[in-house]
Amino acid sequence: MIHNGPMTHTIGIASGKGGVGKTTLSTNLAVTLAQRNQKVLILDADFGMANVDIFFQKKPQGNILEVVKGERPLSDIITQVNKNISFISGGSGLREINNMNNFERRTLMDSVQALPNKFDYLLIDSSPGLAENVLYFNAACETNLIILTADPSSFADAYALIKVMHQAYKKRKFTVVCNQVKNEQ
């Protein structure tokens, strides 16, 4: 599991299908936590298609590919939104970042763990689907939020994601968030 110090809570935000509102939920959760005086770091792990920066209207200080290639330390690419919210950009239009191997993923996780203990929450906003990056980073989290909509394919893909995370990483507890619904039914 990811631990950025003894008190950092890690939340993975994932879905089986795109367009269900992962980034909207991630950024709104960060704002809500920040309003409660919690310090939040968002890792925009939708590598190559990252857009947390767009939601906060902040130009990223760099992207994760620079860290994976060893060009910059992780601490150099953290972008501060306000006193309680920061993010790490996964980069936009960077195809090669999706081909990270296990060593690169582990190096990135080690870099996150080595950050000074100044965050109460680490939110990982991942890309949709079953790619190894999605599974790996979400498996490292204490809490997993699986976002789905009322669309049948969204439901089926969320189930597939949960099933694969359970089979591959022995994850047993998931929180399902139903987004873009009109009522409880």
Side-chain angles (χ1 to χ4, degrees), residues 87-101:
F87 70 87
I88 298 168
S89 175
S92 184
L94 306 173
R95 200 173 96 187
E96 62 268 36
I97 193 69
N98 285 306
N99 298 321
M100 271 195 289
N101 60 41

Side-chain angles (χ1 to χ4, degrees), residues 4-160:
N4 175 244
M7 299 303 289
T8 301
H9 303 285
T10 56
I11 301 173
I13 300 163
S15 71
K17 181 176 174 27
V20 299
K22 286 181 306 301
T23 302
T24 300
L25 186 117
S26 299
T27 53
N28 283 325
L29 180 57
V31 168
T32 300
L33 291 167
Q35 288 170 342
R36 295 177 179 170
N37 209 29
Q38 301 293 299
K39 297 210 179 294
V40 181
L41 175 64
I42 302 173
L43 171 57
D44 193 343
D46 192 350
F47 299 135
M49 301 283 283
N51 56 18
V52 166
D53 57 316
I54 295 168
F55 277 73
F56 287 121
Q57 299 178 358
K58 284 282 191 180
K59 184 178 187 213
Q61 297 297 310
N63 66 64
I64 211 71
L65 185 59
E66 295 169 297
V67 175
V68 171
K69 286 183 169 183
E71 297 170 357
R72 295 176 72 184
L74 187 64
S75 58
D76 280 3
I77 67 160
I78 295 175
T79 304
Q80 190 163 355
V81 175
N82 60 38
K83 73 179 185 117
N84 287 335
I85 301 173
S86 300
F87 70 87
I88 298 168
S89 175
S92 184
L94 306 173
R95 200 173 96 187
E96 62 268 36
I97 193 69
N98 285 306
N99 298 321
M100 271 195 289
N101 60 41
N102 284 335
F103 176 76
E104 291 167 329
R105 279 189 282 273
R106 183 68 210 166
T107 300
L108 177 56
M109 296 310 290
D110 289 345
S111 296
V112 171
Q113 289 176 326
L115 289 172
N117 180 23
K118 64 178 188 175
F119 298 105
D120 300 300
Y121 287 89
L122 170 63
L123 308 180
I124 299 181
D125 179 19
S126 63
S127 56
L130 297 173
E132 194 56 40
N133 285 346
V134 173
L135 299 173
Y136 184 88
F137 291 110
N138 279 281
C141 293
E142 296 168 283
T143 302
N144 294 100
L145 300 181
I146 307 298
I147 315 301
L148 58 92
T149 64
D151 178 60
S153 63
S154 174
F155 188 87
D157 292 348
Y159 174 76

